[in-house]
Amino acid sequence: MDKLKMHSPNLTDENVAMIRDMFPSCVTEAADETGKLRWVVDFHSLSQELSDYIVDGGQERYHLNWPGKREALIISNAPIAKTLRPAPSESLEYANTKNLLIEGDNLDALKLLQDTYLGQIKMIYIDPPYNTGNDFVYDDRFSQGSSKYLEMSSQLDADGNRLIANTSANGRFHSDWLSMIYPRLRLAKKLLKEDGLIIISIDDVESSGLRLLCDEVFGRENFVAQFIWKSRVSEDTRATSGVSTDHEYLVCYSRSDSAYFRGSEKDVNKFSNPDDDPRGPWRSADLTGLATKDARPNLHYDLIDPKTEINYGCPPKGWRFEPRTMEQKIREGRVLFPSSVDGRPRHKLFMNEMKSLFKNISSVVSGFSTADGTRELNSLMGGVAFTFPKPTALIKLFVEQITQEDDIVLDFFAGSGTTADGVMQQCAADGLSRKFILVQIPEKLDRESPAQGTAAEFCDKLGVPRNIAELTKERVRRAGARIIERPRHPSWNADVGFRVLKVDTSNMQDVFYRPDEVGQADLLAAVDNIKPDRTPEDLLFQVLVDWGVDLTLPIRRETIHGKTVFFVDDNALAACFDSGVTEELVKQLAGHVPLRMVFRDNGFVSDAVKINVEQIFRQLSPNTDIKSI
């Protein structure tokens, strides 16, 4: 039986595969540095295929470039040997919730979500560091070069990666910020649905670079809007120029041209049916045009009521419809003629014939500020300091505009957890059951810091580690409890829980990924390729990640023939990671007819049983996909 790959997708391999599908002659086999054959692109042949479209290296062209861009691109495509480990004790309604809260580096998390949530996310909202010189803490891997990163991406030690502050004294101040955000946006795009949208909060420091970067990642044609948000109500200035920096931006891009905003609701109360028109409620609408006679001469004519023969003449900008269409509307009783020549004819606009009951929303967002976000957080958490948290009203605005029933909202810079709070509040308001995924790195909090002291003290009172991820979890817990206590829409499923998953090193021993580095002395220790400190639940979630199975599906644990067996969503997947698996157990599992079945590679009582597994399933459950770890 085949083995699961047990690492995130290699996006470079996927790109090569796409080129191979389009241009088979441009992809060939070549040996890598270890002597292993792999598919590679013959760029000379590819340039011949695209000869009319190739841009030579020295030729001037419109593009965004910076020191470190190539390494950032390699980082976004490279696979990682990591996994998501469940933390039921830190979760809320772990067994039943459809929401996820992932603790760890968001670059790793985005890679691990690729198989499961590819093209499944309707809305992404992120509030990344604004690169002000003191708030930007980032993973330093990209500055080490691509070869070093590729080496690190398969390291399974527990040292972690160095986090450093991006101060304004850094010679690569802007470049490092672009290198940080670039691979994350590339991965985020793959998660968006075809009609999905991403909204990114930013200020003046990096707004211009972000727009150019998003043009490259999402396509300039998929730019939707750059909202201006009046984020502060105070008139005091923080700029040496004397100009009050009271606003921020919300940069919005779509995955494709099928994405749209719902719009603000028009005043449906204006529609009525005083004359019992069989076509339903209507309202009186303007009948005058919008063009001069020189521009649209066919719209400039005298309009005469055929019943009274009153001539209403022609307004300066003409009429809305050309004569033939106007005559048709008069015959259908849609034109409303006034009794006096001094009046202006109008027409009936029927509600059931309108393309939309909504109008465009404004690109200027106002009515709430970061001060509102601070007050909300203080109310929930008792004065915990957080740097300019976004108000939930901001998140609710976009959730209401973009998402519908069962849609997923992703925030991979979760911070204080405002996005989850806003999603739950909007669900409680309109009754739609949406889902959220939050990702937050466990960035440490300094109790001696003026900016972080109260937050660190709060963690101490809770008895949890001093890091931002712990604050995220607690804020979502308290926000959900408050929402449940208040009046809510009866149709909402009231899911305020979240399943905590933590990014960690792979469950597999080093030999699983680098068998060429194992000597004879290590062979006996390598008989079991799973780390000794990992639980069966850990193995199950690595299987779910690797196979692309929904990470929020219900999980049932049973004991069959003395062995622990997991059933995910009944028969979506079955897994047994115990040793000593017998043929009788295999037959009983096959009788459940699961869509997928996973065993431990060395978990069978004998080689004969292992060999017979596929034959047993072929007879009892022929459609089951069987793999091992």
Side-chain angles (χ1 to χ4, degrees):
M1 69 189 76
D2 295 333
K3 283 190 176 184
L4 289 162
K5 64 181 186 295
M6 308 301 274
H7 60 71
S8 69
N10 188 324
L11 300 183
T12 299
D13 288 349
E14 294 181 8
N15 292 334
V16 172
M18 287 189 287
I19 294 175
R20 186 183 176 205
D21 288 340
M22 292 185 288
F23 307 104
S25 63
C26 299
V27 178
T28 184
E29 286 184 346
D32 61 16
E33 60 273 12
T34 67
K36 182 180 178 180
L37 289 177
R38 59 181 297 183
W39 293 110
V40 295
V41 177
D42 183 339
F43 286 99
H44 178 71
S45 298
L46 185 61
S47 65
Q48 290 179 330
E49 292 279 0
L50 305 173
S51 57
D52 290 342
Y53 302 94
I54 293 294
V55 178
D56 293 332
Q59 186 175 337
E60 291 182 347
R61 61 193 185 277
Y62 181 82
H63 73 296
L64 175 66
N65 204 1
W66 68 87
K69 181 178 182 180
R70 181 176 300 178
E71 287 79 7
L73 178 61
I74 292 173
I75 285 173
S76 69
N77 289 335
I80 55 170
K82 293 193 176 183
T83 188
L84 294 174
R85 299 180 67 184
S89 63
E90 300 176 31
S91 307
L92 181 65
E93 297 293 334
Y94 176 87
N96 303 313
T97 185
K98 294 295 183 182
N99 304 313
L100 290 178
L101 199 161
I102 300 174
E103 180 180 315
D105 186 325
N106 55 17
L107 181 63
D108 293 336
L110 288 169
K111 290 187 175 189
L112 293 169
L113 294 175
Q114 289 295 309
D115 282 330
T116 305
Y117 294 99
L118 184 70
Q120 298 298 312
I121 306 297
K122 183 62 178 289
M123 169 183 156
I124 298 175
Y125 170 79
I126 56 172
D127 184 14
Y130 283 5
N131 206 16
T132 60
N134 54 20
D135 69 339
F136 176 24
V137 177
Y138 67 98
D139 193 328
D140 191 34
R141 288 178 294 188
F142 56 77
S143 66
Q144 300 170 15
S146 59
S147 60
K148 180 63 177 175
Y149 172 76
L150 290 173
E151 177 184 344
M152 288 180 65
S153 67
S154 291
Q155 290 289 340
L156 301 177
D157 58 45
D159 292 340
N161 299 300
R162 185 168 60 99
L163 295 177
I164 66 174
N166 191 42
T167 65
S168 56
N170 179 9
R172 289 174 36 152
F173 181 66
H174 295 289
S175 296
D176 280 349
W177 189 89
L178 290 170
S179 291
M180 179 277 294
I181 200 71
Y182 182 45
R184 289 160 173 81
L185 292 182
R186 283 175 53 87
L187 292 165
K189 178 188 176 182
K190 294 176 180 293
L191 298 178
L192 279 176
K193 299 176 71 171
E194 280 301 306
D195 61 348
L197 290 154
I198 183 170
I199 301 103
I200 307 168
S201 283
I202 201 69
D203 69 359
D204 287 314
V205 176
E206 297 293 352
S207 61
S208 58
L210 177 64
R211 280 285 302 275
L212 291 173
L213 191 63
C214 287
D215 283 347
E216 177 175 324
V217 173
F218 297 97
R220 192 173 186 179
E221 69 280 4
N222 289 323
F223 168 72
V224 176
Q226 180 163 305
F227 295 92
I228 300 173
W229 174 44
K230 187 173 173 57
S231 57
R232 293 174 55 244
V233 294
S234 174
E235 294 297 328
D236 64 319
T237 179
R238 299 178 189 173
T240 57
S241 63
V243 178
S244 176
T245 53
D246 62 353
H247 67 278
E248 297 177 9
Y249 305 102
L250 295 149
V251 177
C252 180
Y253 279 77
S254 61
R255 175 69 187 267
S256 72
D257 59 5
S258 62
Y260 63 91
F261 279 74
R262 175 175 175 265
S264 58
E265 192 168 2
K266 294 178 178 176
D267 189 359
V268 296
N269 294 327
K270 291 182 179 180
F271 289 87
S272 62
N273 197 359
D275 58 353
D276 293 325
D277 195 307
R279 289 166 290 195
W282 56 273
R283 69 175 177 84
S284 170
D286 190 8
L287 197 55
T288 58
L290 299 172
T292 63
K293 189 173 183 178
D294 291 338
R296 296 291 302 275
N298 63 323
L299 298 180
H300 287 256
Y301 54 88
D302 287 347
L303 181 59
I304 301 173
D305 182 351
K307 293 182 179 179
T308 65
E309 297 185 351
I310 296 177
N311 187 344
Y312 296 93
C314 180
K317 292 295 182 68
W319 300 104
R320 185 172 294 273
F321 308 108
E322 50 87 25
R324 182 177 299 179
T325 303
M326 185 71 80
E327 291 173 3
Q328 177 67 26
K329 288 185 176 294
I330 292 173
R331 286 194 299 269
E332 293 176 353
R334 292 174 181 258
V335 178
L336 304 170
F337 289 103
S339 58
S340 169
V341 69
D342 296 328
R344 182 62 57 79
R346 296 173 67 84
H347 72 112
K348 286 183 174 182
L349 182 63
F350 290 95
M351 188 166 66
N352 61 6
E353 293 177 346
M354 292 181 64
K355 183 178 181 181
S356 174
L357 291 176
F358 303 93
K359 57 187 177 182
N360 294 339
I361 66 170
S362 173
S363 61
V364 179
V365 179
S366 60
F368 37 81
S369 66
T370 52
D372 297 319
T374 300
R375 281 191 291 271
E376 286 179 324
L377 195 61
N378 286 342
S379 174
L380 271 176
M381 309 282 277
V384 174
F386 222 93
T387 308
F388 309 119
K390 297 297 183 290
T392 53
L394 180 67
I395 307 302
K396 286 178 62 181
L397 169 66
F398 289 108
V399 170
E400 184 267 342
Q401 284 291 314
I402 297 170
T403 64
Q404 300 175 11
E405 181 76 16
D406 290 329
D407 279 340
I408 305 173
V409 178
L410 168 65
D411 182 350
F412 52 89
F413 285 96
S416 66
T418 303
T419 295
D421 195 348
V423 169
M424 292 187 294
Q425 286 191 34
Q426 186 57 41
C427 291
D430 61 21
L432 301 181
S433 296
R434 304 170 180 89
K435 294 166 275 191
F436 64 78
I437 300 176
L438 302 186
V439 184
Q440 177 57 45
I441 192 169
E443 181 185 338
K444 293 182 179 179
L445 296 167
D446 183 2
R447 184 159 183 167
E448 305 304 319
S449 165
Q452 299 180 346
T454 59
E457 183 179 349
F458 183 79
C459 289
D460 290 344
K461 290 179 180 178
L462 290 177
V464 298
R466 294 177 185 169
N467 65 63
I468 294 178
E470 296 297 338
L471 294 180
T472 310
K473 299 171 199 171
E474 186 62 20
R475 191 263 175 88
V476 179
R477 289 189 195 100
R478 296 188 178 201
R482 175 176 289 187
I483 292 169
I484 290 296
E485 291 172 354
R486 295 176 174 177
R488 59 184 187 273
H489 198 287
S491 298
W492 181 39
N493 64 7
D495 183 2
V496 296
F498 53 89
R499 182 174 283 184
V500 174
L501 305 176
K502 298 189 178 186
V503 176
D504 206 337
T505 57
S506 173
N507 297 311
M508 315 308 289
Q509 299 275 17
D510 292 20
V511 63
F512 184 85
Y513 297 101
R514 299 193 298 273
D516 55 306
E517 298 181 7
V518 178
Q520 286 186 336
D522 301 314
L523 289 178
L524 289 177
V527 170
D528 190 348
N529 58 11
I530 297 172
K531 292 178 179 176
D533 64 331
R534 302 305 166 98
T535 68
E537 287 82 1
D538 293 335
L539 301 179
L540 176 64
F541 270 86
Q542 184 152 5
V543 167
L544 297 180
V545 168
D546 196 73
W547 222 325
V549 179
D550 187 346
L551 300 176
T552 64
L553 290 176
I555 299 169
R556 186 177 78 254
R557 180 173 181 155
E558 292 186 10
T559 300
I560 304 176
H561 288 283
K563 307 299 180 184
T564 299
V565 180
F566 295 96
F567 292 96
V568 179
D569 198 26
D570 289 330
N571 290 332
L573 182 145
C576 180
F577 304 114
D578 286 356
S579 57
V581 171
T582 62
E583 189 166 310
E584 289 72 25
L585 175 58
V586 173
K587 289 180 179 178
Q588 186 159 345
L589 293 176
H592 284 267
V593 196
L595 293 176
R596 307 171 185 87
M597 185 71 226
V598 184
F599 294 100
R600 198 166 178 158
D601 190 54
N602 63 348
F604 300 96
V605 71
S606 67
D607 290 340
V609 173
K610 181 178 178 180
I611 294 171
N612 289 336
V613 167
E614 291 186 347
Q615 182 62 33
I616 293 171
F617 271 87
R618 193 175 297 119
Q619 293 174 350
L620 301 178
S621 184
N623 294 323
T624 299
D625 192 0
I626 313 166
K627 292 189 183 296
S628 65
I629 63 169

